[in-house]
Amino acid sequence: MKLNIYCLIMKIIIFNCIVYVDASEYKIWGPGLKPEIVMPARYFFIESIPNCDTNLLELIDLDIKIEGSKIDSNKPCRIWTNILNRNDGSYIVRYKLYEPCINVKIDIKVRGENIKGFPLTFKYIMFSEDCNCNIHNVSSFINNWECGETQTQIKEDLHLFKGIDFGKIRKRIVSTYDNPGAVSLCNYVIKNNLIYRKCYGQHVGFKMFMDNILLSLTRKVLLPDFEMFVNLGDWPLVKDTNEIFPIFSWCGSKDSFDIVMPTYDITESTLESMGRVMLDMLSVQGNVRDKWENRHPKIFWRGRDSSRERLKLIEISRQYPDLFNVSLTNFFFFRNEMEKYGPTSKHVSFYDFFDAI
Ligand SMILES: *[C@@H]1O[C@H](CO)[C@@H](O)[C@H](O)[C@H]1NC(C)=O
Ligand SMILES: *[C@@H]1O[C@H](CO)[C@@H](O)[C@H](O)[C@H]1NC(C)=O
């Protein structure tokens, strides 16, 4: 039998049209639709579902209003709303509360018509990020935020450490990594939802990132009492030695035992969202100019020469120039190898990065 591929495809297309014609045209979801989820900037997504009249949702089609009242008067409370156009018919709506609000109303109209299910009104208090509102216990927090299953990686990293007694190992951790010029290590204790810390090393400025995420958590949730060590460096610490210690890090590798957690630029991106943030993971999505289809299927990378692996990447890219567009932006550690791994190319800003090739 000759398989008529055109028929098959037409059927799929027609079937899809029939399925979608009567269905709701827009999908709206995200944590910003749940008032109990307190974030520095709340956000949700609007996506137009492909339809037979494939009019992409344009920014001018959207009319979004988010308003609420102060809790002690009927006056409007301060909310700042910001819409990010991802240039593919989908949008990210962000809004920031500068004070607690009640009767927050989220109204979304598309081409002048109310979207099904909107306006949404929340009659209870919506808290702002700076509120000390640790009304949740851990399980209700994880439940409300729909955190889902614990990631396999963190389970595996923690699996190595059972029944940790910091009373016994704390001193040994501090002495094992006593190398003030090279190692920056902080010991945190959370007790009665208060944060205590002691840092070791000459360069411990990055403790502010860990402090900030812990402070943000303790404002939202009653944390159980616990203790941890955090490596502030950008290289894993716990190498295969006689004894491995539980240390949280922003980086890991196959030959180290650090417990890897989200990096400081990711946590900062969330905490400073709609504020003074350098690497904003959401707003960068609203800066994309080129369509996905127009991109080149290549790996794009820029960075300085901070490790030998990066030089290796340059070598690999020279073997496969059609797959890689990578280059160093600066020489500092391997200046004597500039001939081989240069020339350098210009720094590419984070906001241009995803349009670079
Ligand atoms: C946590 O809070 C929820 C909701 O307030 C409550 O139902 C639950 O019993 C609490 N759990 C614990 C362990 O306190
Ligand atoms: C690599 O990317 C840069 C920055 O977009 C571009 O100027 C350059 O032409 C690209 N190089 C190649 C070989 O495609």
Side-chain angles (χ1 to χ4, degrees):
M1 188 188 106
K2 268 193 222 158
L3 180 64
N4 189 331
I5 196 79
Y6 295 103
C7 283
L8 204 60
I9 295 201
M10 271 319 287
K11 271 196 188 153
I12 293 169
I13 293 171
I14 291 166
F15 178 73
N16 273 338
C17 288
I18 292 165
V19 168
Y20 282 118
V21 150
D22 286 324
S24 155
E25 269 182 276
Y26 310 101
K27 205 173 141 193
I28 302 179
W29 83 103
L33 299 175
K34 291 184 79 177
E36 65 273 28
I37 297 189
V38 180
M39 286 185 178
R42 297 166 190 252
Y43 63 93
F44 58 88
F45 302 91
I46 303 181
E47 190 183 335
S48 45
I49 293 170
N51 187 313
C52 287
D53 77 69
T54 47
N55 265 349
L56 218 55
L57 190 60
E58 302 282 350
L59 190 56
I60 54 160
D61 299 334
L62 278 174
D63 180 11
I64 296 171
K65 277 201 187 73
I66 302 177
E67 300 163 331
S69 312
K70 286 182 188 285
I71 47 175
D72 51 3
S73 70
N74 248 338
K75 295 199 177 106
C77 65
R78 253 187 93 206
I79 302 179
W80 178 36
T81 307
N82 160 239
I83 304 173
L84 298 165
N85 184 354
R86 294 160 99 197
N87 263 325
D88 59 357
S90 74
Y91 294 83
I92 304 173
V93 180
R94 301 194 290 182
Y95 63 104
K96 191 179 185 94
L97 266 63
Y98 291 92
E99 56 191 332
C101 303
I102 51 165
N103 292 321
V104 172
K105 187 167 112 182
I106 300 180
D107 198 3
I108 304 174
K109 288 194 172 71
V110 172
R111 300 179 190 115
E113 305 235 343
N114 258 319
I115 287 216
K116 205 175 144 208
F118 288 85
L120 255 183
T121 309
F122 308 112
K123 52 179 196 270
Y124 299 110
I125 300 180
M126 227 194 223
F127 293 112
S128 49
E129 167 68 16
D130 57 3
C131 174
N132 230 332
C133 310
N134 39 31
I135 49 175
H136 298 280
N137 59 39
V138 172
S139 53
S140 82
F141 177 86
I142 286 180
N143 208 10
N144 281 337
W145 284 60
E146 298 174 29
C147 295
E149 284 279 298
T150 307
Q151 273 77 9
T152 321
Q153 172 255 314
I154 197 89
K155 274 193 202 160
E156 285 172 0
D157 287 1
L158 286 168
H159 180 76
L160 296 169
F161 307 99
K162 292 218 175 81
I164 300 161
D165 182 351
F166 277 106
K168 286 191 178 137
I169 61 173
R170 193 184 301 114
K171 274 194 183 139
R172 282 214 305 285
I173 295 180
V174 173
S175 61
T176 303
Y177 300 103
D178 178 21
N179 187 356
V183 173
S184 311
L185 192 62
C186 292
N187 183 195
Y188 283 90
V189 170
I190 314 299
K191 196 160 173 57
N192 299 329
N193 223 36
L194 295 175
I195 302 163
Y196 303 85
R197 75 155 141 65
K198 182 165 186 192
C199 294
Y200 303 87
Q202 280 165 14
H203 312 282
V204 293
F206 274 38
K207 63 179 186 274
M208 70 174 189
F209 296 111
M210 196 63 214
D211 292 357
N212 289 346
I213 190 71
L214 287 174
L215 285 166
S216 178
L217 277 171
T218 54
R219 283 197 296 269
K220 300 170 180 46
V221 56
L222 284 166
L223 293 177
D225 292 350
F226 69 97
E227 177 164 357
M228 72 197 294
F229 275 85
V230 175
N231 166 23
L232 305 177
D234 58 0
W235 211 254
L237 269 189
V238 192
K239 294 289 156 77
D240 194 2
T241 53
N242 297 332
E243 187 172 15
I244 56 169
F245 293 112
I247 295 181
F248 283 82
S249 275
W250 291 314
C251 49
S253 68
K254 282 186 181 148
D255 58 359
S256 59
F257 300 94
D258 296 55
I259 306 157
V260 180
M261 60 179 176
T263 60
Y264 59 87
D265 25 23
I266 300 281
T267 52
E268 197 210 16
S269 168
T270 298
L271 294 175
E272 299 297 336
S273 184
M274 296 179 83
R276 46 176 179 87
V277 59
M278 290 232 307
L279 310 177
D280 187 329
M281 301 300 159
L282 289 178
S283 65
V284 71
Q285 298 181 44
N287 268 273
V288 173
R289 292 179 295 270
D290 237 347
K291 289 215 166 83
W292 180 254
E293 305 85 77
N294 299 339
R295 311 281 184 84
H296 300 275
K298 273 191 175 187
I299 287 173
F300 185 76
W301 181 88
R302 293 290 182 272
R304 62 178 188 151
D305 61 339
S306 50
S307 72
R308 172 65 60 192
E309 284 77 7
R310 293 181 170 198
L311 306 185
K312 179 79 188 159
L313 177 65
I314 303 294
E315 277 173 32
I316 298 172
S317 75
R318 285 178 184 164
Q319 278 168 35
Y320 306 98
D322 49 332
L323 294 179
F324 291 83
N325 182 325
V326 306
S327 60
L328 293 162
T329 51
N330 208 354
F331 278 90
F332 181 78
F333 298 96
F334 299 95
R335 282 209 182 108
N336 53 341
E337 295 179 59
M338 244 162 106
E339 283 277 288
K340 184 163 175 208
Y341 296 105
T344 57
S345 67
K346 263 199 296 190
H347 173 85
V348 176
S349 104
F350 182 63
Y351 288 98
D352 294 328
F353 208 81
F354 301 93
D355 270 319
I357 55 172

